[in-house]
């Protein structure tokens, strides 16, 4: 741990139903999701979630439909109240906040982007973008200035006077992102922000987000059910299933060492050569100095296969920021392309 | 010899029955026989003997065999006494509360009539322009009012219009807040919906009756209240519905950005519910117009008075022509409110 986490979720449980506290006792005693629903009629939304979200990082929460992703992200700004647990933001437990402090948090520290955009249909694009400023009580001029700045930044200059229904889905979501950015909050929550967009626009938006993140260094919590998207964006990947965390960590690490058949299924369809990076499969420097060439630690494996022409006898020197950091043996590379299984994963490690 | 004599004898209650005979007002049957147009009522005089003719054991019927049992007319007089006993307290509370309504009605009647026609008609056209921006409608409204004036129905028409303006104003001022409260609380909604149903289904004459006892017929608030009670229902209903129908995602976004309840209400919920609220206002206006005619029975001025004269004096022409004027007014009001409604809709389609 280099830093204190920006957001820290501790022992979080959420149970939907009439008597969640009572049902919680059963869950503490080891009852599972299906059994709880059958015997007590309560839905176990989240169980024992512990996640640290580092500042300036993109934490991606991934899982299939119904795994509790939306429920989890709504606990961060308390759109949903937990049944048990803590949500700590900048060292303060959000659950101790009264209404005023909570509004303060939502206005200043956290902003949110929604799957269905959720723009105000009766307000112009500019008014929507500056909304968070008006809510905070700032005057219209400041709000418009901030709105304008971020609309320009997301490539929507010239559309200020339009209404949301006059824009395409991709453009509406750009407004949604501008709205979230205009509040200058440290933390940005994005609930399947790109899922409603078609694939090309979606790639554009992912690139836009990464580009913005390079300048802004926000703490982003991003939800998706798409593994490609998750791997592209994530610094830290959390995989949810039936309301609990199956595995979390560096995305490359999860890909190479899945600890659950559920995750193996997830990663089996992925183009590993394109996603895996040299740094994840290289070996430490061992004094050898006959290399076929020099590669960057962040190159993906596809690029190396192309470089080597498919010859597995080669080895490359790996550099990062001009420093020698390791050796890549093409045989290791080929081995990494075969999906690992949960049982073997400990051996490879 | 009444039908249930035998019953009381076998029960051994004859003594108790004869103990305190009631000689109250006449029975329901006698009352109906008296007011009805001489219907064939000889049957009730002869007590039924055959099994097939056994009457239902109603209060009146039982009373014939057992004088101790109260008759239905006694019951209605209890209801009457109950109402009369709370009347003074009710009046004491309601009178000052509803006084502003009288002032508003009288004030606006005076104002609408004080302004000469050549000021009033352009003023109305200006309102139509502000609400609809449609030249066609302005032309239609102008022609309608010129026609009404030409056939000397300008004054009653403008009186009716003034009453509708005031009553609709009160309906909106009261109905929108009530609708908002209803949309916030399911308990209140469960309680309010039967009340609203009752207000809408009760024959309008029925709530004129207690109102006549409460307020003097010369006071304008009497008909004002009758109109408002009847016409307020759609505004309340549609405000409640409109706010409940606001997109939940948008509400969630408003919460996520830390809007206060107030900001959410005025910045999001009311603007997004506005098309529904305006549809309610349109219905309210049409219902006030329907009621203002009936309210002429209790001294509401306007076109209704002429219709009433047509009925009372069998002046067929007077009644029909003023009826036509009411239809014309209804079309004008409906078109203008619908046009402004569709302008709102166009501004916020999504
Ligand atoms: N208000 C609620 N009442 C009862 N159960 C709920 C409620 N909200 C969510 N759930 C349940 O909690 C579980 C998780 O739901 P959630 O919406 O968080 O899933 P998700 O991962 O976001 O799925 P999706 O990808 O479809 O959006 C589901 O089983 C759902 O049925
Ligand atoms: Mg979801």
């Amino acid at each position: 741990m280099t830093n204190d986490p920006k957001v820290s979720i501790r022992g979080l449980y959420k149970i939907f139903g009439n008597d969640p506290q009572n049902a919680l006792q059963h869950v503490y005693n080891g009852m599972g999701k299906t059994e709880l629903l059958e015997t007590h009629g309560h839905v176990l939304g989240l169980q024992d979630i512990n996640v640290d979200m580092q500042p300036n990082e993109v934490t991606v929460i991934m899982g299939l439909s119904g795994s509790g992703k939306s429920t989890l992200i709504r606990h961060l700004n308390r759109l949903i109240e937990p049944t048990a647990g803590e949500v700590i933001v900048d060292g303060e437990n959000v659950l101790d906040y009264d209404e005023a402090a909570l509004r303060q948090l939502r206005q200043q520290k956290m902003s949110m982007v929604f799957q269905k955009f959720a723009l105000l249909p009766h307000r112009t694009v500019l008014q929507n973008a500056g909304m968070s400023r008006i809510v905070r009580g700032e005057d219209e001029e400041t709000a418009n200035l901030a709105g304008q700045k971020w609309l320009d930044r997301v490539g929507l200059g010239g559309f200020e006077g339009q209404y949301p229904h006059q824009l395409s889905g991709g453009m509406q979501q750009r407004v949604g992102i501008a709205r979230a950015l205009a509040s200058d909050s440290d933390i940005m929550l994005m609930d399947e922000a790109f899922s409603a967009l078609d694939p090309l626009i979606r790639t554009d938006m992912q690139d836009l987000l990464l580009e913005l993140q390079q300048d802004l260094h926000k703490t982003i919590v991003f939800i998706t059910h798409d593994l490609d998207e998750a791997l592209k964006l994530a610094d830290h990947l959390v995989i949810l299933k039936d309301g609990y965390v199956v595995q979390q960590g560096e995305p490359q690490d999860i890909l190479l060492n899945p600890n659950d058949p559920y995750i193996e299924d997830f990663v089996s369809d992925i183009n590993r050569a394109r996603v895996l990076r040299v740094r994840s499969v290289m070996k430490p420097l061992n004094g050898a100095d006959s290399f076929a060439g020099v590669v960057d630690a962040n190159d993906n494996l596809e690029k190396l296969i192309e470089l080597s022409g498919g010859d597995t006898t080669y080895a490359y020197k790996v550099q990062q920021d001009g420093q020698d950091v390791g050796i890549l043996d093409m045989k290791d590379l080929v081995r990494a392309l075969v999906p690992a299984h949960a049982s073997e994963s400990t051996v490879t490690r | 010899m009444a039908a249930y004599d035998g019953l009381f004898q076998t029960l051994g209650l004859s003594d108790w029955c004869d103990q305190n005979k009631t000689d109250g007002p006449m029975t329901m049957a006698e009352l109906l026989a008296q007011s009805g147009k001489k219907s064939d009522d000889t049957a009730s005089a002869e007590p039924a003997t055959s099994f097939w003719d056994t009457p239902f054991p109603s209060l009146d019927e039982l009373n014939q065999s057992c004088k101790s049992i109260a008759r239905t007319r006694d019951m209605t007089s209890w209801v009457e006494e109950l109402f009369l006993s709370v009347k003074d307290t009710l009046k004491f509370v309601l009178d000052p509360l509803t006084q502003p309504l009288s002032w508003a009605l009288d004030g606006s009647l005076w104002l609408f009539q004080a302004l000469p026609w050549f000021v009033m008609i352009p003023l109305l056209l200006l309102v139509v322009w502000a609400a609809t921006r449609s030249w066609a409608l302005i032309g239609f409204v102008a022609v309608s009012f010129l026609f009404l004036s030409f056939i000397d129905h300008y004054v009653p028409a403008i009186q009716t219009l003034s009453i509708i303006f005031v009553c609709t104003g009160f309906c909106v001022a009261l109905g929108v807040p009530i609708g908002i409260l209803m949309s916030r609380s399911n308990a209140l909604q469960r309680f309010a919906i039967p009340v609203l149903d009752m207000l809408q289904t009760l024959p309008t004459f029925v709530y004129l009756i207690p109102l006549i006892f409460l307020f003097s017929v010369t006071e304008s608030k009497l008909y004002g209240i009758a109109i408002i009670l009847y016409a307020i229902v759609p505004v309340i209903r549609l405000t409640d519905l409109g706010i409940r129908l606001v997109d939940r995602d948008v509400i969630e976004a408003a919460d996520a950005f830390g809007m206060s309840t107030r900001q959410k209400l005025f910045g999001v919920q009311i603007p997004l519910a506005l098309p529904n609220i305006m549809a309610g206002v349109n219905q309210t206006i049409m219902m006030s117009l329907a009621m203002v005619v009936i309210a002429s029975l209790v001294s509401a001025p306007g076109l209704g008075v002429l219709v009433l004269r047509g009925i009372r004096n069998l002046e067929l022409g007077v009644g029909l022509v003023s009826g036509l004027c009411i239809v014309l007014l209804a079309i004008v009001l409906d078109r203008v409110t619908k046009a402004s409604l569709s302008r709102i809709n166009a501004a916020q389609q999504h």
Side-chain angles (χ1 to χ4, degrees), chain A residues 221-236:
Chain A
V221 183
F222 191 98
I223 285 192
T224 180
H225 56 241
D226 181 289
L227 184 62
D228 287 303
E229 187 167 74
L231 292 170
K232 181 167 177 183
L233 299 176
D235 294 312
H236 184 77

Side-chain angles (χ1 to χ4, degrees), chain A residues 178-196:
Chain A
R179 173 171 74 172
L181 291 172
S183 81
D184 278 343
S185 58
D186 298 342
I187 304 170
M188 224 160 100
L189 310 177
M190 306 180 79
D191 185 2
E192 306 214 23
F194 305 149
S195 298

Side-chain angles (χ1 to χ4, degrees), chain A residues 8 12 59 79 82 134 168 211 248 250 289 292 339 343-344:
Chain A
S8 181
L12 192 74
T59 301
L79 287 174
I134 298 280
S168 71
E211 183 201 322
Q248 60 176 315
E250 235 253 293
D289 55 1
S343 47
E344 305 164 12

Side-chain angles (χ1 to χ4, degrees), chain B residues 102-115:
Chain B
S102 276
W103 292 332
L105 283 166
D106 295 338
S108 107
L109 268 177
W110 173 84
L111 182 73
F112 273 51
Q113 291 178 84
L115 290 174

Side-chain angles (χ1 to χ4, degrees), chain B residues 161-172:
Chain B
L161 205 60
S162 134
I163 294 173
I164 289 174
F165 273 4
V166 172
C167 289
T168 306
F170 273 87
C171 284
V172 172

Side-chain angles (χ1 to χ4, degrees), chain B residues 17-83:
Chain B
C17 283
D18 293 335
Q19 222 171 50
N20 35 13
K21 298 186 180 188
T22 50
D23 273 328
M26 54 190 142
T27 65
M28 276 312 266
E30 282 161 356
L31 179 79
L32 290 176
Q34 187 190 47
S35 60
K37 281 244 176 286
K38 257 210 155 326
S39 63
D40 193 5
D41 259 341
T42 40
S44 66
E46 283 291 294
T49 41
S50 123
F51 174 72
W52 282 111
D53 292 332
T54 310
F56 186 85
S58 66
L59 286 177
D60 281 354
E61 207 55 55
L62 291 175
N63 173 274
Q64 289 200 358
S65 311
C66 174
K67 298 292 179 210
S68 290
I69 292 176
R71 291 182 297 182
T72 298
R73 283 279 288 159
D74 295 324
M75 195 191 72
T76 55
S77 59
W78 293 337
V79 172
E80 195 171 309
E81 272 158 32
L82 183 76
F83 180 75

Side-chain angles (χ1 to χ4, degrees), chain A residues 85-96:
Chain A
E86 290 179 342
V87 176
I88 293 159
V89 177
D90 286 336
E92 290 178 40
N93 187 358
V94 171
L95 301 171
D96 295 336

Side-chain angles (χ1 to χ4, degrees), chain B residues 54-182:
Chain B
T54 310
F56 186 85
S58 66
L59 286 177
D60 281 354
E61 207 55 55
L62 291 175
N63 173 274
Q64 289 200 358
S65 311
C66 174
K67 298 292 179 210
S68 290
I69 292 176
R71 291 182 297 182
T72 298
R73 283 279 288 159
D74 295 324
M75 195 191 72
T76 55
S77 59
W78 293 337
V79 172
E80 195 171 309
E81 272 158 32
L82 183 76
F83 180 75
L84 289 178
S85 66
V86 296
K87 184 192 119 177
D88 287 334
T89 342
L90 253 178
K91 194 173 158 73
F92 184 74
V93 179
L94 287 182
D95 230 8
L97 272 182
T98 51
Q99 199 51 45
L101 180 59
S102 276
W103 292 332
L105 283 166
D106 295 338
S108 107
L109 268 177
W110 173 84
L111 182 73
F112 273 51
Q113 291 178 84
L115 290 174
W117 62 270
F118 50 83
V119 177
M120 196 64 210
I121 294 181
L123 215 60
L124 286 174
L125 295 182
L126 213 66
V127 172
V128 174
W129 169 246
T132 67
R133 302 287 146 100
S134 150
W135 285 111
L137 257 177
I138 290 191
F140 173 64
V141 174
V143 169
S144 303
F145 270 93
L146 291 178
F147 172 73
L148 285 173
S149 318
F150 187 66
I151 60 169
D152 287 300
H153 280 64
Y154 171 78
V155 173
I158 214 80
Q159 286 171 335
T160 298
L161 205 60
S162 134
I163 294 173
I164 289 174
F165 273 4
V166 172
C167 289
T168 306
F170 273 87
C171 284
V172 172
L174 296 172
V176 171
I178 295 175
I180 290 170
L181 290 179
M182 256 172 86

